[in-house]
Amino acid sequence: ASPAPVRVPEPRLMPDEAQPNDRHRHRQLQGKVLVLTVCAAGIGGTFQYGYNLTIINAPTSVIQAFINETWLERTGLPLERSRITLMWTFIVSIFPLGGLAGALLAGPMAIKLGRKKSLLLNNMFVMLAALLVGLSRMAKSFEMIMLSRFFAGINSGVGMNIQPMYLGESSPKELRGAVTLTSASFTALGLVLGQIVGLREILGAEEKWPLLLASNAVPSLIQLVLLPWAPESPRYLLIDRGDKESCICALQKLRGSRDLSSEMKEMLAEQAAVQGKTATGPWELFRNPAVRWQLITIIVLGSAMQLCGNDSMYFYASYVFQEAGIPYDKIQYYIIGTGSCELITAMTCVRTSWSQCIVALEPVHCVQSMSTFPPLVQ
C-alpha cells in the first residue's frame, strides 16, 4: 500500500508579520474616510463660493437687457444706461453682503448645530437661491435675482467659515495643514468650473441664463448625498457636546484602529481648560495678548486678499477684457485662463504643504497657523 500523503500545514502569519498588513488596511480605511470628508465638505462649501463668484459673469449683458425689458413693461419707459449699470451693481454687490451675513451666522450655527449639520443645513440657502433665480424670468422680476444672490452669499459665507473648521478638527495633526488648505483648492475649482459652465456652448447662451444661475443647486445635492456618510467633528462632540463615546466613535472612523490615547488626552485637556467659559467676542480677543497677534495676522491677510481686487476681476472680467481690446468671441476663453491660474496656484500650495507634512511629520511645521483657527472662530 502506498504511504498516506503527508499534509503540509499552511504557513501562518506571526503577529509581527501580520501587523504591517493590518496597519496598511487601517491606513487605507483612514484615507478613504478622510478623502470622503474633504470632498463632501468642499463641494458644498468653498466650492460654492468660487462657483457663484464666476457664473454671474457670463450672462452680464443678457441680465442687463432683461432688467431694461422688465422696467419697460412695468413703466412704459426704458432705463438709462447708468441706471441699468446701477441695478447690475446691486446684483453683484449683494453677494458679498450676503457673505458677511453668512459669516456672522456661521459661529452660532457651528456651536449649536455642529460642523456637519451646519454644512448640511447651509444647503437650504443655495436651494432657495436656485429656486428664486430659476423663476425670475417667468415672474419678470429682476428683484428675485438680487434676492437669489443674497441667499447664495449667505451660503458661501457659512461654508467658508465652517468648512476649514470641520476639516481642521477632523484631520490628524500631521495632515491638518494640508487638509485645511484644500478649502482654497475647492474655491479655485469652483471658479474654473463656473467659467466653463458659463461658456456659450454649455449654459452661457442667452436663453439659458436662469439655468446657469440656478446650477449652483447641483453641488448642494452632491453634498447632501455624500456628507451624511462622513463623521461629525470629534472635537465638537467632546468639547461642545460633552459626548465622549460619540467622539471616540468618530475618531475610530477617521483614524482606523490606531492608538487614540494621545489625541483623546489632548482634547480632554482642552475640554477642561474651556469648561465653564463662554464664547469669546472679537474685542475680548483683541484684549487677550495670547491670541492678539494671531487675530491681527488673520485680519491683515484676509483684508489684503479681499482688497486686492481679485473678486472684482471675476465679477467684471467681461468689461476688463473688452476694454483691453480682446475680441468678443474670445473673451470667455481668456476668462477661463484667469481661473485656471488660480487653480494651478492653489493645487501647488496644497501639494507642497502635503509633501512637507509627510517629510517632516511635525505638526508645528504644518499647522502652526491653522491649529488656533477653531478656537478663534468660537
Side-chain angles (χ1 to χ4, degrees), residues 3 24-25 29 42 83 88 93 95 127 163 182 191 196 205 209 213 233 235 237 254 284 310-311 367:
H24 179 66
R25 284 196 296 269
L29 175 64
R83 294 290 181 89
W88 174 249
S93 59
F95 176 75
M127 289 293 187
Q163 180 190 336
T182 58
L191 288 168
I196 292 174
W209 67 264
L213 297 185
S233 161
R235 182 185 177 278
L237 293 171
L254 289 164
E284 294 174 354
N310 189 39
D311 289 357
V367 300

Side-chain angles (χ1 to χ4, degrees), residues 2-10:
S2 58
V6 178
R7 186 177 180 182
V8 180
E10 294 180 2

Side-chain angles (χ1 to χ4, degrees), residues 50-314:
Y51 190 78
N52 284 293
L53 201 65
T54 53
I55 57 173
I56 194 66
N57 179 69
T60 298
S61 58
V62 182
I63 294 179
Q64 288 179 348
F66 171 71
I67 293 171
N68 191 35
E69 290 170 6
T70 304
W71 190 266
L72 181 61
E73 287 184 12
R74 291 179 185 177
T75 65
L77 297 172
L79 277 172
E80 297 177 2
R81 185 63 187 175
S82 59
R83 294 290 181 89
I84 296 175
T85 304
L86 181 62
M87 293 289 188
W88 174 249
T89 303
F90 283 146
I91 292 174
V92 169
S93 59
I94 204 168
F95 176 75
L97 185 62
L100 175 60
L104 296 174
L105 190 63
M109 284 180 65
I111 295 172
K112 293 181 180 179
L113 301 175
R115 292 32 163 170
K116 177 181 166 182
K117 287 183 180 178
S118 296
L119 287 173
L120 289 171
L121 185 62
N122 188 35
N123 291 292
M124 173 186 67
F125 296 112
V126 78
M127 289 293 187
L128 183 57
L131 181 64
L132 286 169
V133 76
L135 298 175
S136 60
R137 184 169 63 180
M138 187 184 304
K140 297 182 179 180
S141 171
F142 56 82
E143 294 86 356
M144 291 175 68
I145 303 176
M146 294 182 185
L147 196 56
S148 167
R149 294 294 293 175
F150 180 75
F151 283 120
I154 294 177
N155 171 268
S156 298
V158 172
M160 288 182 70
N161 282 270
I162 296 182
Q163 180 190 336
M165 191 192 312
Y166 176 54
L167 295 181
E169 294 173 356
S170 300
S171 56
K173 268 191 171 183
E174 63 270 16
L175 300 177
R176 191 171 298 165
V179 169
T180 310
L181 275 176
T182 58
S183 300
S185 299
F186 276 101
T187 300
L189 181 62
L191 288 168
V192 175
L193 286 183
Q195 292 166 341
I196 292 174
V197 172
L199 290 172
R200 284 185 289 274
E201 294 82 0
I202 305 178
L203 291 180
E206 290 188 16
E207 66 279 1
K208 294 181 181 179
W209 67 264
L211 289 176
L212 172 61
L213 297 185
S215 62
N216 53 10
V218 176
S220 289
L221 292 174
I222 295 174
Q223 185 180 68
L224 288 172
V225 172
L226 295 180
L227 191 58
W229 298 96
E232 177 58 276
S233 161
R235 182 185 177 278
Y236 163 76
L237 293 171
L238 180 64
I239 297 176
D240 292 328
R241 280 181 49 184
D243 191 345
K244 187 176 179 180
E245 291 183 3
S246 297
C247 173
I248 294 174
C249 182
L251 279 175
Q252 287 174 341
K253 288 182 180 179
L254 289 164
R255 310 285 186 265
S257 59
R258 66 183 238 186
D259 184 20
L260 305 174
S261 57
S262 60
E263 196 165 356
M264 282 298 300
K265 184 178 179 180
E266 181 182 332
M267 285 194 291
L268 286 169
E270 186 178 352
Q271 183 189 33
V274 301
Q275 196 166 11
K277 294 183 178 180
T278 58
T280 305
W283 295 114
E284 294 174 354
L285 288 174
F286 273 112
R287 296 193 198 102
N288 187 351
V291 296
R292 182 185 300 150
W293 283 108
Q294 290 94 322
L295 182 62
I296 292 174
T297 301
I298 291 173
I299 291 174
V300 170
L301 290 176
S303 301
M305 185 176 66
Q306 295 299 324
L307 295 174
C308 70
N310 189 39
D311 289 357
S312 61
M313 176 60 198
Y314 292 117

